[in-house]
Amino acid sequence: MDLAVSFTAPPVMRVSAAAIPLIGLSATIQTSGGTIASGQTLYYAVTGLDVNGVESDLSFVVPAKIASSTSTNQVQLTGLSFAPGTANFNVYRGTNPGELLRIASSLAPASSFVDTGSAVELQLPPDRNFDHANFYWRWE
């Protein structure tokens, strides 16, 4: 039996001078000014970039429950904090914490970020475990 799988590889992890960013653990939902549909939960995380463009690990993942009945929602992430070696940052969003895709690239460090419904880029966040897989089984 053969198995074929296609995928997009995440960036290769390198040592970054940018430490893992800090992020507030609750997102603010605003019901106007954006294009995000209601009735879903989105997950957000950020990474820092050093002056050479090397990306840090992901911050904590923050859920944003969009419960209003409008489709003009926007999500604000607050409490962003970056180490001194951080030149820029990237923002990732997904419908579950394990499937995040980049929605903003190389932004200047700021204390907040507003997602009005940014288009998804086909870029995955860095993944330290990408180059190997752990398989567990038991024989009965």
Side-chain angles (χ1 to χ4, degrees):
M1 172 188 265
D2 290 339
L3 174 67
V5 178
S6 69
F7 62 93
T8 301
V12 175
M13 285 297 299
R14 298 181 296 171
V15 177
S16 176
I20 298 171
L22 299 177
I23 186 171
L25 296 180
S26 62
T28 303
I29 314 304
Q30 298 168 348
T31 57
S32 63
T35 59
I36 299 174
S38 63
Q40 62 181 330
T41 300
L42 299 174
Y43 296 88
Y44 291 87
V46 298
T47 59
L49 298 165
D50 65 17
V51 293
N52 297 317
V54 179
E55 200 167 8
S56 73
D57 282 330
L58 281 172
S59 67
F60 285 115
V61 176
V62 176
K65 185 170 178 141
I66 319 291
S68 72
S69 59
T70 69
S71 10
T72 58
N73 299 293
Q74 61 181 2
V75 175
Q76 181 177 23
L77 305 176
T78 58
L80 299 179
S81 179
F82 301 95
T86 306
N88 297 54
F89 73 101
N90 294 335
V91 182
Y92 294 87
R93 175 184 71 212
T95 54
N96 76 57
E99 295 178 2
L100 301 175
L101 293 172
R102 190 182 303 161
I103 60 168
S105 301
S106 298
L107 302 172
S111 61
S112 65
F113 170 80
V114 176
D115 177 20
T116 58
S118 303
V120 172
E121 302 173 24
L122 292 178
Q123 293 293 322
L124 298 169
D127 183 357
R128 288 196 179 278
N129 296 316
F130 171 71
D131 62 348
H132 67 279
N134 294 324
F135 296 95
Y136 302 96
W137 68 89
R138 77 177 189 204
W139 186 269
E140 290 187 17

